[in-house]
């Protein structure tokens, strides 16, 4: 019974409040009647912010809606990037700038290059080991980073404009060079020295990686993938002291002197040059990089 009474009283109070808001109020004071009209009560609503930081994905939400909705122009977006990053990897040392389109997509423009001989110092071509003595890399790139689940996992794609020169040297293994499936005396060939550069003016690339946050502003990342650099142009020459005509081994592996042979150390260098240009890993160049990101 008390519950019913309380409910009835509450309903009456609410009804009276509504009636007072809808009807004028008459107040009698010293026989004078004054009519007061109730004013509507103003209710303030606070609009949700247009941008909200996504701590999981590490990028700015709703940027696309802001740009295309008219509250933020393309110019403002261009001059106010979402992030800057520093990186080091097989493409060299570099940095990039990122612009977030939404919580899953970020555009990137960057450059990586320099001397990568400290990162990778040698590679094998058939049975010849080449030492990288010097390198001059320049790899400007434009790409997109996609977060399929709006978390730390990323997939990247884009275009590199490669301009990479690699200086190499090979001194043979033991006392022989194996070039074109033929063994030559290394003391007669000397040292094979050359330069390798990529032919492609544009190189598409694909990567997968991770980009976890370590604070509201800072994050780290790592990526692996490959870029299609295309075939290479190589120049190889035989240098150092050696005889003009070279010896080789017969089918039984015995050394044979061929002083009257038409094979010269220049011929050996030319064959090594052809093999160097056919090396597959230079055509599909590996991408491995790590770095740090600061977000605005």
């Amino acid at each position: 019974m008390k519950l019913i009474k309380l409910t009835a009283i509450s309903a009456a109070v609410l009804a009276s409040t509504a009636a007072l808001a809808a009807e004028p109020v008459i107040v009698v004071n010293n026989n004078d009647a004054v009519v007061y009209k109730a004013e509507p009560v103003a209710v303030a609503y606070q609009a949700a912010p247009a941008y909200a930081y996504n701590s999981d994905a590490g990028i700015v939400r709703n940027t696309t809606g802001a740009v295309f909705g008219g509250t933020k122009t393309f110019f403002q977006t261009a001059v106010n990037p979402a992030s800057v990053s520093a990186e080091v990897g097989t493409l060299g040392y570099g940095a990039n700038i990122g612009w977030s389109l939404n919580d899953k997509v970020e555009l990137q423009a960057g450059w990586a290059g320099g001397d990568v001989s400290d990162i990778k110092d040698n590679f094998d071509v058939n049975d010849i080991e080449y030492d990288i003595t010097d390198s001059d890399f320049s790899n400007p790139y434009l790409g997109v980073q996609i977060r399929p689940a709006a978390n730390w996992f990323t997939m990247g794609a884009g275009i590199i404009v490669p301009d990479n020169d690699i200086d190499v040297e090979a001194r043979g293994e033991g006392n022989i060079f194996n070039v074109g499936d033929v063994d030559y005396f290394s003391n007669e060939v000397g040292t094979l020295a050359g330069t390798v550069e990529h032919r492609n003016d544009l190189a598409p690339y694909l990567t997968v990686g991770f980009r976890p946050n370590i604070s509201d502003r800072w994050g780290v990342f790592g990526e692996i993938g490959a870029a299609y650099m295309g075939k290479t142009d190589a120049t190889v020459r035989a240098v150092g002291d050696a005889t003009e005509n070279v010896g080789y081994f017969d089918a039984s592996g015995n050394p044979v002197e061929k002083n009257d042979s038409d094979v010269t150390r220049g011929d050996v260098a030319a064959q090594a040059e052809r093999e160097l240009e056919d090396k597959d890993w230079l055509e599909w160049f590996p991408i491995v990089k790590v770095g740090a990101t600061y977000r605005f």
Side-chain angles (χ1 to χ4, degrees):
M1 181 62 71
K2 289 184 179 180
L3 177 61
I4 296 174
K5 288 181 179 181
L6 289 174
T7 303
I9 292 171
S10 299
V13 170
L14 290 174
S16 301
T17 304
L20 287 174
E23 297 295 333
V25 178
I26 301 175
V27 178
V28 179
N29 185 18
N30 296 328
N31 299 323
D32 292 327
V34 181
V35 179
Y36 295 94
K37 186 176 181 181
E39 296 293 336
V41 178
V43 180
Y45 295 93
Q46 183 176 0
Y51 309 96
Y53 183 80
N54 179 4
S55 59
D56 294 326
I59 58 179
V60 179
R61 287 187 180 273
N62 301 329
T63 308
T64 302
V67 171
F68 290 96
T71 60
K72 189 176 183 182
T73 66
F74 283 103
F75 177 78
Q76 290 172 322
T77 301
V79 299
N80 292 282
S83 65
V84 292
S85 301
E87 64 184 58
V88 59
T90 53
L91 292 176
Y93 307 89
N96 68 64
I97 302 175
W99 293 269
S100 296
L101 297 184
N102 52 44
D103 60 342
K104 294 184 178 181
V105 182
E106 182 174 275
L107 297 180
Q108 288 184 339
W111 178 89
D115 185 358
V116 301
S117 59
D118 292 335
I119 302 173
K120 184 172 180 62
D121 57 2
N122 60 69
F123 61 92
D124 292 330
V125 176
N126 295 342
D127 293 325
I128 300 179
E129 182 177 286
Y130 286 90
D131 293 327
I132 299 176
T133 58
D134 193 17
S135 61
D136 184 12
F137 273 28
S138 178
N139 294 289
Y141 61 88
L142 182 65
V144 59
Q145 284 287 332
I146 301 175
R147 301 171 183 263
N151 59 10
W152 56 267
F153 175 72
T154 63
M155 301 175 63
I159 293 292
I160 300 172
V161 185
D163 183 11
N164 302 323
D165 296 327
I166 305 172
D167 294 336
V168 297
E169 278 188 0
R171 291 179 173 81
E173 183 175 349
N175 65 336
I176 62 171
F177 271 111
N178 184 282
V179 181
D181 293 326
V182 178
D183 291 334
Y184 299 96
F185 292 120
S186 57
N187 63 341
E188 293 180 319
V189 174
T191 299
L192 296 178
T195 301
V196 182
E197 60 182 8
H198 295 105
R199 297 178 186 175
N200 278 13
D201 293 329
L202 296 175
Y205 72 85
L206 291 172
T207 62
V208 294
F210 64 95
R211 288 178 175 263
N213 295 320
I214 57 178
S215 72
D216 288 346
R217 296 289 187 180
W218 290 96
V220 294
F221 66 88
E223 293 179 45
I224 60 172
Y228 182 71
M229 298 287 192
K231 296 294 185 179
T232 58
D233 289 323
T235 301
V236 177
R237 61 194 184 280
V239 298
D241 295 333
T243 59
E244 180 61 25
N245 295 333
V246 300
Y248 61 91
F249 293 85
D250 61 19
S252 300
N254 299 313
V256 177
E257 295 290 344
K258 295 283 289 186
N259 293 329
D260 58 346
S261 171
D262 291 333
V263 178
T264 67
R265 57 197 297 228
D267 296 328
V268 178
Q271 179 61 36
E273 181 177 295
R274 287 189 289 271
E275 292 183 354
L276 190 57
E277 289 183 341
D278 290 338
K279 181 62 177 175
D280 291 339
W281 81 266
L282 292 174
E283 183 176 355
W284 288 94
F285 197 85
I287 295 177
V288 180
K289 66 170 71 174
V290 294
T293 297
Y294 178 81
R295 299 195 174 278
F296 299 102

